[in-house]
Structure formats: C-alpha cells, structure tokens
Amino acid sequence: MTVFHVCLFILLTLFDHSFGQLVVNVKNKGGDVEREKIEANTTSDSVRLEFMSKDGTLVTQFIDYKSNIQIFRIYVPWEEERGIVQSKPQVLCFVTKFGKNEFISADAMSKLRQKNPTAVRTPEEDRGLERHTLNLLVTLDKASVLSPHLYNICHDAVDSTYAKETDIKLITKALNKDTEKVMTALKNTELEKHTRCKDTSDIAKPCFCQYHLCIEWYPCGLKYCRGKDSTGKVVNYRCGIKTCRRCLSFEHYARQKMFCLWDDL
Ligand SMILES: *[C@@H]1O[C@H](CO)[C@@H](O)[C@H](O)[C@H]1NC(C)=O
C-alpha cells in the first residue's frame, strides 16, 4: 500500500474519495483542443467520459463494469440549413460489450489526478477504427436487464438506442443471465434489408445509417514499475497510465432518413 501511494504521487496524484473527476485538454487530429471530463464512481463501478465537439455534438461514453457494458450516447444538433426546425437535438445511444483492455478500472480512474491541469494532451497509442454493426433496437423500459444505468442515460433516445446481437449473447452468457428475458428488451431491425441512408432520396424512408466518432484521449491501461516495499521485498506497482485514441463507426437502423442527415457523403 505504501509503495502504491508514494508512486502515484510521482506521475499522478492520489485523490482520497471514492468519486473522482478529471478534466483534460486534448488535441484532436484536426488540431482543435477539446475539453474532456472523465469521472469514476467506485460505488456503482462505473466511468463516464464526456466531451463536446466544435460542431456542438455532445458525446458521452459510460462504462458499467458490473454489467460488462459500455454505452455511447450522442446528442447531435440539427443543422439549420437543412430546413428542418427542431428544438431538441437528436439523441443516439449505442450499446456494446465492454472489453477488459478498453479502459482502466473505475478504481484506478478514481485515483487519477494530473499535475498540470492546463497541459494539452496527446495520446501515446492510436488504436484505430472499430466498426460495430448494431442490428437490435433496445426497448428502454425493459433495458434494466442489460444494465441498471441504461434507462437513465438513454431515456432521450427512446426510438434510437441500438445494440449488437453478438455482443448481447456474449454478455448474457458471461454473466449467466436468462437469454430469453434479455431478448424481450430487444427488437431485430433487419438492418441488412435496408439501403444506406446516403443512397436513399426519400427523407421519410427508413434506411441503414452510419455514425462515426473519435475519442481522442483516454486511459487505456496501467503502467507498472518495480520497486521495494517497506520490508525490502521487490514488488511491481502501478506507477502511471497508458493513453490511447480510438475511433468508432456505428452502423444502425434509422426509422427515417431525416434522422441520419450526417451520413450524406
Ligand atoms: C455513485 O453511484 C451510486 C450508486 O449508483 C449513487 O448512489 C451515487 O449518487 C453516485 N455518485 C455520484 C457522485 O454520482
């Protein structure tokens, strides 16, 4: 314990509450600086990462470690020049399986503090692009079978919360959940039967939509150092974090092309 504490003070600083928040300035590939807020809650064993892009899109990644699930929620502002007047932004929620090496634990995250909060950070590793084809629509009022947090986070995305069948099956199996019960919260959108939204001219027609986002900086792993503890025994201890960048592409059903206006390239 002592070694661990001493060490955290070298690269990071220890924060003594179960709830921690980190605000980092991150430079994206376009050269703009984004402010990212990352908070961990060790009571619920979850992490929330949030940032707003220059165009006003608000992206939230929520990891529920207990349920093996991560949620990407996106508030997309309407583009006024399209002539569609809407007061509320469009909301999308993408639910995928959380893989062990995708983020550090909520516990490690809650202990993370930076020495220089005004520094502009760039990640050490680029993990590239992941493609997710989400063929299921989640019925939010039954979504607690997947994660107790899902409804709270996605309640503004009643008709636009999507999940991936292969992921759901893996999670259900790993957590020993009743597959049949879980499947009652999910509807197949028969994604493969739809045309890409960019090739659809009728704005009212359903189509196959694609949404792309990048998370420019996140703690993706721990670094270990060797040292001696108070009794002189050689031990490995956590002495820092490894940082990564990742991009994600989500393919999903749009009930009308007007809900996928960004996919026009
Ligand atoms: C952390 O999670 C617990 C359990 O879900 C919740 O009661 C608490 O309000 C959360 N803390 C914060 C600061 O959000």
Side-chain angles (χ1 to χ4, degrees):
M1 208 53 190
T2 45
V3 174
F4 179 57
H5 280 206
V6 168
C7 183
L8 276 173
F9 276 112
I10 300 169
L11 281 155
L12 329 156
T13 350
L14 186 74
F15 188 67
D16 257 334
H17 301 279
S18 63
F19 179 76
Q21 192 192 80
L22 191 73
V23 177
V24 286
N25 300 305
V26 179
K27 190 175 248 166
N28 69 21
K29 282 243 159 133
D32 296 313
V33 175
E34 288 170 354
R35 270 166 78 86
E36 250 181 43
K37 191 173 84 182
I38 315 177
E39 34 182 63
N41 185 334
T42 50
T43 312
S44 60
D45 200 6
S46 64
V47 162
R48 179 194 290 259
L49 178 153
E50 200 159 76
F51 64 93
M52 192 179 270
S53 305
K54 219 169 102 189
D55 66 358
T57 303
L58 178 69
V59 177
T60 307
Q61 177 187 7
F62 183 90
I63 305 168
D64 173 357
Y65 294 85
K66 279 185 193 160
S67 306
N68 261 357
I69 268 178
Q70 58 190 330
I71 304 162
F72 296 89
R73 183 187 64 189
I74 299 114
Y75 281 85
V76 191
W78 290 90
E79 294 172 48
E80 276 166 35
E81 69 269 26
R82 299 278 192 171
I84 298 169
V85 181
Q86 298 272 342
S87 53
K88 285 184 182 168
Q90 198 181 328
V91 192
L92 297 161
C93 255
F94 303 119
V95 181
T96 67
K97 178 177 168 294
F98 174 73
K100 252 190 194 155
N101 297 319
E102 287 187 68
F103 214 100
I104 60 171
S105 68
D107 175 62
M109 188 61 230
S110 72
K111 293 189 167 76
L112 211 55
R113 276 295 173 273
Q114 55 188 338
K115 269 190 175 167
N116 182 3
T118 56
V120 175
R121 309 200 175 262
T122 46
E124 293 160 74
E125 186 186 317
D126 191 338
R127 292 206 164 164
L129 174 70
E130 289 164 42
R131 276 177 199 285
H132 294 277
T133 304
L134 309 181
N135 62 331
L136 303 172
L137 189 65
V138 180
T139 307
L140 278 180
D141 48 17
K142 291 179 185 166
S144 59
V145 293
L146 288 173
S147 160
H149 305 280
L150 194 49
Y151 183 84
N152 252 347
I153 293 161
C154 298
H155 64 267
D156 286 334
V158 174
D159 296 314
S160 47
T161 298
Y162 305 95
K164 189 176 177 180
E165 194 164 352
T166 46
D167 275 5
I168 299 298
K169 285 192 170 149
L170 287 170
I171 296 162
T172 314
K173 206 173 156 196
L175 298 180
N176 254 327
K177 288 190 182 180
D178 178 350
T179 314
E180 237 167 83
K181 187 171 172 226
V182 171
M183 290 316 280
T184 60
L186 302 158
K187 244 189 343 222
N188 198 312
T189 56
E190 302 191 309
L191 196 55
E192 66 287 350
K193 290 189 183 163
H194 291 92
T195 338
R196 278 291 302 271
C197 292
K198 65 181 173 82
D199 303 322
T200 308
S201 52
D202 187 345
I203 204 154
K205 272 238 171 93
C207 51
F208 184 121
C209 184
Q210 194 166 17
Y211 190 87
H212 185 269
L213 67 90
C214 293
I215 295 173
E216 300 291 341
W217 186 97
Y218 65 98
C220 52
L222 294 170
K223 281 182 183 155
Y224 288 85
C225 296
R226 268 169 102 73
K228 284 187 178 147
D229 70 6
S230 51
T231 65
K233 209 174 92 195
V234 174
V235 287
N236 285 325
Y237 56 90
R238 304 193 274 191
C239 58
I241 51 159
K242 187 174 138 190
T243 60
C244 293
R245 167 186 196 268
R246 74 196 291 202
C247 293
L248 300 119
S249 164
F250 296 103
E251 296 175 335
H252 63 93
Y253 170 81
R255 63 196 188 282
Q256 290 185 3
K257 180 190 160 84
M258 70 174 275
F259 298 109
C260 182
L261 291 179
W262 54 82
D263 193 6
D264 226 354
L265 305 165

